[in-house]
Amino acid sequence: MTTGITAPSGSGPAVTARSSVRGSRPMTLVAMCLGAMITFLQITATVSALTTIQRDLRVDPTTVIWIPSAYTLVVASLVLSAATLGNRYGRRRMFGAGVVAMIVGGAVVASAPTVAWVIVGQLIAGLGGALILPNSLAILGATFTDPHRRTEVITAWSAASGIGLAIGPLIAGTLLRDHQWHSVYLSTIVLGVVTLVVAAIGVAESRQSAGRLDLLGLLLGTLAIAASVYAMIQGGRDGYTSPVVATAWIVSAAALVAFVLVELRATAPMLDVRLFRSASFSAVMVVAAVSLFGFTGVAILLVLFHERAQALTPLDTGWRMLVLFGVYVLVAFAAGRTIRRTGFKAPLTLGLALGAVATFGLAAQGATTTFDHRWALFALFGAASGLVVAPATAAALASVAPAQAGMASGAVNAARQVGSVLGSSLLGALLTTTMLANLPDRLAAHQVQEPTRSAVRAAVAAGATGDQPLPDPVRSALAEAMTTGVQAGLRITGIVFLVTAVLALTLIRNRPHHN
């Protein structure tokens, strides 16, 4: 049955896709939002279970970073290539394959006996996330062709990620109260099955006109992103000048140069690098990366702070994080409707500035600060993120001609996921290194004597603190050391937000591109 959906992507002409399903706009929006929700549910559900996973499997802090980072590594590395595959082989087909991969990855983690299998499951789920994100966005762009309506549904799609982030800690906390950490990943499986059913019923197939697959560009782009992200993650553990990390940087740089040269000469490039001649488009890419760097990174820092520095249960942590994520969702939905009056520059700049204020405020608080004195800053950061994360995606598509919207969607998703992996890996590594560096002084301040002081530091470094209750001086020292690490990450985020706010104010085009 013919569906008359115009694909917005790429440089080739749009085609009419054939499918046995006549697309339903409401069901398409629901299915794509559910897909976005799954990809971010995986992040916060994992972070909420990290403490329990680390304790149960006796994982050292540096390896723990790889559990959430393995997922975002694959998403960041493959998301641009996944957009190309969707354009050629069908976005609905690739979206469905991504949901299946999320289900399989969740099942692997749910049955994992060791940390190695946890990471394998996260890698498989990352493949699913990479396939879901760009193709769901491209499907929405093909289904909703009116520019203002498209901005609203893209904002709803982005807001759905906040819902996924919000329910992750709540689901994890509820399940961890009565079950082992493996049960947390059942939520991904259940939501994935629901998404597949909705997509099968109401989403029509669409693709760009068939052309020669840019295989060399696909491989070089994947290698450039994967090598750089690996260097970022592993650098936090081994040092950014270690031989392995330095080699990864060199490989990434060489692949990036080769990618640009190949794409400039390709007749049907995977990514038209000439898009970056637009200062507005380039600035939006930076904003998109920074928005997820802060949103994901701060969420991880705050979850770990509550569970480890304040010794709260995952469920209690989830209810507190709901303030941040709930406000984010509300503001993100509202931002989608106000953009047509304000343009993109005002919400993006204001959101980044408010995010900096919130993170600096949170960084000034200590381990004993109660939530009564913190909730307003949580709400402020949620509102700031709602003004940035969702509109940044819409601004990327508005910064280019409509015929280039598909490439723009792939590029902005790649930027977002690189930002997300930076948030989880770099801020996680900073947290760990700062905590371990400050722990001896904190133990000494609480009059913990040798050899207990060295034994505690060694146990923390090896992830072997166990389930036994700790003496009050040791527990207080650990909480304070953890807090210093969280504070360092929050301050870095605030500085990055302020710099990016200036970039958004000066370079981003305020209104959609018109031919």
Side-chain angles (χ1 to χ4, degrees), residues 161-457:
S161 65
I163 298 175
L165 289 168
I167 65 176
L170 293 176
I171 292 174
T174 301
L175 292 173
L176 288 171
R177 186 172 55 184
D178 301 313
H179 305 283
Q180 292 185 325
W181 59 265
H182 303 79
S183 64
V184 169
Y185 295 90
L186 297 178
S187 57
T188 299
I189 299 172
V190 173
L191 190 57
V193 171
V194 173
T195 304
L196 283 178
V197 172
V198 176
I201 295 173
V203 179
E205 184 62 281
S206 68
R207 59 167 60 87
Q208 186 182 337
S209 58
R212 181 173 175 270
L213 183 63
D214 181 17
L215 183 60
L216 184 56
L218 187 151
L219 293 175
L220 288 171
T222 300
L223 179 60
I225 296 176
S228 62
V229 171
Y230 174 84
M232 294 172 196
I233 298 173
Q234 198 65 19
R237 174 176 180 172
D238 298 337
Y240 291 100
T241 58
S242 67
V244 172
V245 174
T247 300
W249 284 123
I250 293 171
V251 170
S252 176
L256 179 60
V257 172
F259 174 78
V260 171
L261 294 175
V262 167
E263 297 305 281
L264 284 173
R265 297 177 181 178
T267 54
M270 181 178 72
L271 174 64
D272 187 353
V273 294
R274 295 175 183 85
L275 290 176
F276 290 91
R277 291 176 178 173
S278 165
S280 177
F281 181 79
S282 299
V284 169
M285 293 300 103
V286 174
V287 171
V290 168
S291 68
L292 264 292
F293 170 85
F295 196 38
T296 305
V298 168
I300 290 174
L301 291 176
L302 293 178
V303 167
L304 294 177
F305 170 79
H306 284 127
E307 292 187 3
R308 300 187 183 184
Q310 296 197 326
L312 298 178
T313 66
L315 184 57
D316 287 338
T317 298
W319 284 116
R320 284 160 174 76
M321 295 301 294
L322 189 61
V323 174
L324 189 160
F325 296 132
V327 173
Y328 162 78
V329 171
L330 293 175
V331 173
F333 273 118
R337 295 186 174 276
T338 58
I339 283 174
R340 65 174 64 185
R341 294 193 300 270
T342 65
F344 298 108
K345 190 185 296 286
L348 292 176
T349 304
L350 178 62
L352 290 164
L354 292 178
V357 171
T359 51
F360 285 136
L362 289 168
Q365 299 180 345
T368 59
T369 304
T370 64
F371 190 66
D372 290 341
H373 294 89
R374 298 170 65 85
W375 72 266
L377 291 172
F378 276 50
L380 180 61
F381 187 78
S385 298
L387 289 171
V388 178
V389 176
T393 304
L397 272 66
S399 295
V400 300
Q404 298 169 312
M407 284 187 182
S409 70
V412 73
N413 267 304
R416 282 161 55 95
Q417 295 313 311
V418 169
S420 180
V421 76
L422 283 173
S424 62
S425 59
L426 293 189
L427 294 182
L430 179 63
L431 165 64
T432 299
T433 55
T434 305
M435 178 187 70
L436 290 175
N438 281 273
L439 184 56
D441 289 341
R442 293 295 88 209
L443 290 167
H446 286 275
Q447 300 180 347
V448 176
Q449 303 298 318
E450 292 286 4
T452 303
R453 194 186 307 172
S454 297
V456 169
R457 192 180 189 283

Side-chain angles (χ1 to χ4, degrees), residues 76-102:
S77 301
L78 299 180
V79 70
L80 192 58
S81 303
T84 300
L85 294 175
N87 288 341
R88 182 174 176 84
Y89 299 111
R91 296 162 181 145
R92 177 172 173 264
R93 181 179 290 113
M94 292 297 103
F95 175 85
V99 176
V100 170
M102 290 291 299

